[in-house]
Amino acid sequence: MGTILATRSAGADVRTKAPSRLVAGCAALAVVGVLGACSAAGSSDASYGPDGGYDDSFAQERSRQAPVDGQEEYDTSPEQAFQDVATSPLSTFASDVDTASYSNLRRQLNEGVAPEGVRIEELVNYFDYDYPTPEPDAADPFTVTTQVADAPWAPGHQLAMIGVQATAEKATHRGNNIVFLLDVSGSMDEPNKLPLLADSFELLVEQLDEDDTVSIVTYAGSDEVLADSVRGDEHGELVRILRELRAGGSTGGAAGLQTAYELAAKNFVDGGNNRVVLATDGDFNVGPSSPEELTDLIEEHARSGVYISVLGFGMGNLKDNTMEAIADHGNGNYAYIDTLDEARKVLVDEFDSTMFVVAQDLKVQVELNPATVSQYRLLGYDNRRLEDEDFDDDAKDAGDVGAGHEVTAFYELVPARDGSPDDDLDYQDVKPGHSDDFLTVHVRYKNPGASTSTEVVFPAGADTYTTRPSTDFRFASAVAEFGLAVSGSQHAEDASPTRARDRAEAAVGEDPYGLRSEFVGLIDSYLRIAD
């Protein structure tokens, strides 16, 4: 093993906005039907512990020491309006397996902050669903499941649930080449930032063995290489470095990213898992710092076969938009760590799905049938939507899916009226066919390392409609309905947190880690404060 020192620095401005406080904003939000989200003391914060029970003492301790005021930044991509099938029959988006929005929402509720940065798809994708898994000898590394039922919040509308289940079989067994890129700037000097970061990475270290290689880069005003190609089973040495981390200085994240990618390239394992794991609050204030500048920096590295995982920490000045952009453009995933139990969920229990990619640039294109659907809209994925022509463009980057990952999407459908739709066109006549399918799901993906994609097609026929939707459908739709209400969606119709809570409670089902029950508890806290 070796220790190297390297230094870089630069300067730039940061754009910020102050989040609204729940105490001041709850009444105003209620006037427009969007109640401020919050939590009562004693509501569960932890995802799950080793015994599967709740333990919110960690979050309560963090809450007591958290800063009262701060500045956080979130993406403001507009939500999709309803589209006419006659003129826009295709809907295309990149897969997204990020879950940061849910744990960040939980953090905001526990801190008494009105929620910002709510991404419905990340709330839904936080939970596991019982989709069928691919057979071991399947031609494609995933299955696609569809189900249609009535939309709970919009009488007369329907809801289509699309689930993509990736194989749990890892594409490589040649070891991990991982670079820990750790923010140790002054903004990380909070109990729920650097100390939690160090504890979280200790959990990750315990998953590694002699076939793995670890490098550690820290950055503040300059970047420093604390470990270069240390064997993964050197747990004591790696943990020692983590425990000696101290915060201070400005934040030169771009220089740290460059150094981390250089180390990953130097130690590249052909056919292995090569990955940078970035841990930060996203508050880059030295060098390139905007999401646009940083994504330009990492896109060139993303094509080299080095992936990235982004772990967000802390509150007050969280730059959620920056971290999400880095993950999206760097062929990676983004999770927010609000408790040590959440770190265990992401870095231990979901280690394979976080680390090992089984399908690259996975895109979904849904073709709606005008004979059965007159209008539709995709719930969430607001900054993951693609142009329809991007679906066939192998040069267009999209989301990567890890071993065992699930991707879930909801479409709200307005059924077609009897008879042909009137398109009001003088020079052409667009008439629907005779199929009674609701839609067809087209999935395009690349095998890891491949440059050309494969397309797979899955029709959703009339038999996918049911008046008795599955437990997973009912629970996931409750999460989506709550997300519509909390985010203040313009298309929420009569989305009701109370109805979402009742439906979620009735659809908890098997809940070995208590995550679904925790969600019901979060809605209870929300409703108590709102009342």
Side-chain angles (χ1 to χ4, degrees), residues 246-421:
R246 298 293 182 268
S250 54
T251 314
L257 278 168
Q258 184 65 38
T259 300
Y261 275 114
E262 289 172 0
L263 278 174
K266 187 186 79 168
N267 299 314
F268 193 87
V269 177
D270 191 21
N273 171 44
N274 300 278
R275 183 173 295 269
V276 172
V277 182
L278 167 63
T280 178
D281 60 7
D283 187 15
F284 299 167
N285 54 30
V286 174
S289 60
S290 72
E292 295 77 16
E293 290 173 314
L294 290 167
T295 55
D296 287 344
L297 173 68
I298 67 172
E299 279 183 343
E300 60 181 286
H301 295 289
R303 292 185 288 270
S304 70
V306 178
Y307 302 102
I308 191 167
S309 292
V310 182
L311 305 179
F313 289 84
M315 66 167 292
N317 62 340
L318 182 74
K319 302 301 182 283
D320 177 83
N321 58 340
T322 298
M323 291 184 285
E324 188 193 17
I326 289 173
D328 288 349
H329 291 265
N331 286 349
N333 42 51
Y334 169 37
Y336 178 81
I337 308 297
D338 59 335
T339 69
L340 192 59
D341 283 336
E342 182 67 15
R344 184 175 291 109
K345 175 180 183 291
V346 173
L347 298 176
V348 178
D349 298 298
E350 298 175 355
F351 180 81
D352 287 350
S353 59
T354 300
M355 296 292 171
F356 294 96
V357 172
V358 297
Q360 287 182 251
D361 291 337
L362 192 145
K363 306 169 188 174
V364 178
Q365 185 169 81
V366 176
E367 179 184 358
L368 286 301
N369 180 8
T372 55
V373 180
S374 64
Q375 292 183 312
Y376 68 91
R377 83 178 197 94
L378 173 63
L379 274 61
Y381 293 90
D382 297 323
N383 58 6
R384 305 291 283 169
R385 294 194 298 269
L386 300 173
E387 298 296 331
D388 294 336
E389 56 268 24
D390 291 338
F391 183 71
D392 296 323
D393 183 359
D394 284 344
K396 183 67 176 180
D397 187 57
D400 296 333
V401 177
H405 255 149
E406 299 166 348
V407 179
T408 300
F410 277 110
Y411 280 86
E412 186 174 342
L413 311 178
V414 180
R417 299 186 300 272
D418 292 337
S420 300

Side-chain angles (χ1 to χ4, degrees), residues 131-266:
Y131 299 133
T133 57
E135 296 295 330
D137 58 348
D140 303 299
F142 56 83
T143 61
V144 173
T145 302
T146 55
Q147 189 172 171
V148 180
D150 294 333
W153 57 83
H157 290 192
Q158 295 166 335
L159 201 59
M161 180 180 182
I162 299 171
V164 179
Q165 174 66 63
T167 178
E169 298 294 323
K170 293 183 289 188
T172 177
H173 298 278
R174 299 188 181 181
N176 300 289
N177 164 35
I178 304 178
V179 181
F180 297 171
L181 177 56
L182 311 179
D183 183 352
V184 295
S185 63
S187 67
M188 295 293 289
D189 191 16
E190 296 287 345
N192 60 347
K193 292 187 179 182
L194 192 57
L196 177 57
L197 181 157
D199 291 343
S200 300
F201 275 80
E202 285 190 34
L203 295 176
L204 175 54
V205 164
E206 294 299 323
Q207 307 307 303
L208 306 176
D209 58 30
E210 67 275 7
D211 295 328
D212 304 319
T213 298
V214 178
S215 301
I216 300 178
V217 179
T218 61
Y219 67 90
S222 60
D223 57 281
E224 183 176 358
V225 179
L226 301 184
D228 182 355
S229 59
V230 175
R231 244 175 44 170
D233 62 349
E234 296 285 343
H235 295 170
E237 173 66 8
L238 295 170
V239 169
R240 179 192 64 78
I241 295 172
L242 292 170
R243 289 179 177 173
E244 292 179 355
L245 295 174
R246 298 293 182 268
S250 54
T251 314
L257 278 168
Q258 184 65 38
T259 300
Y261 275 114
E262 289 172 0
L263 278 174
K266 187 186 79 168

Side-chain angles (χ1 to χ4, degrees), residues 408-455:
T408 300
F410 277 110
Y411 280 86
E412 186 174 342
L413 311 178
V414 180
R417 299 186 300 272
D418 292 337
S420 300
D422 183 5
D423 52 38
D424 294 326
L425 298 178
D426 293 328
Y427 301 108
Q428 62 178 342
D429 188 15
V430 180
K431 293 184 178 180
H434 300 290
S435 171
D436 58 2
D437 289 352
F438 285 97
L439 51 86
T440 296
V441 181
H442 301 255
V443 179
R444 186 172 286 277
Y445 73 98
K446 298 173 187 172
N447 288 313
S451 58
T452 58
S453 63
T454 300
E455 181 178 351

Side-chain angles (χ1 to χ4, degrees), residues 467-523:
T467 57
R468 302 181 64 182
S470 66
T471 299
D472 281 345
F473 185 103
R474 288 181 286 125
F475 183 84
S477 65
V479 177
E481 181 170 8
F482 183 67
L484 287 170
V486 169
S487 64
S489 169
Q490 296 181 356
H491 305 282
E493 297 290 335
D494 68 339
S496 163
T498 301
R499 182 175 54 236
R501 183 245 181 254
D502 293 343
R503 193 162 71 260
E505 183 179 44
V508 164
E510 294 186 12
D511 191 23
Y513 301 118
L515 293 176
R516 293 190 177 194
S517 297
E518 179 197 56
F519 174 68
V520 175
L522 287 176
I523 302 180

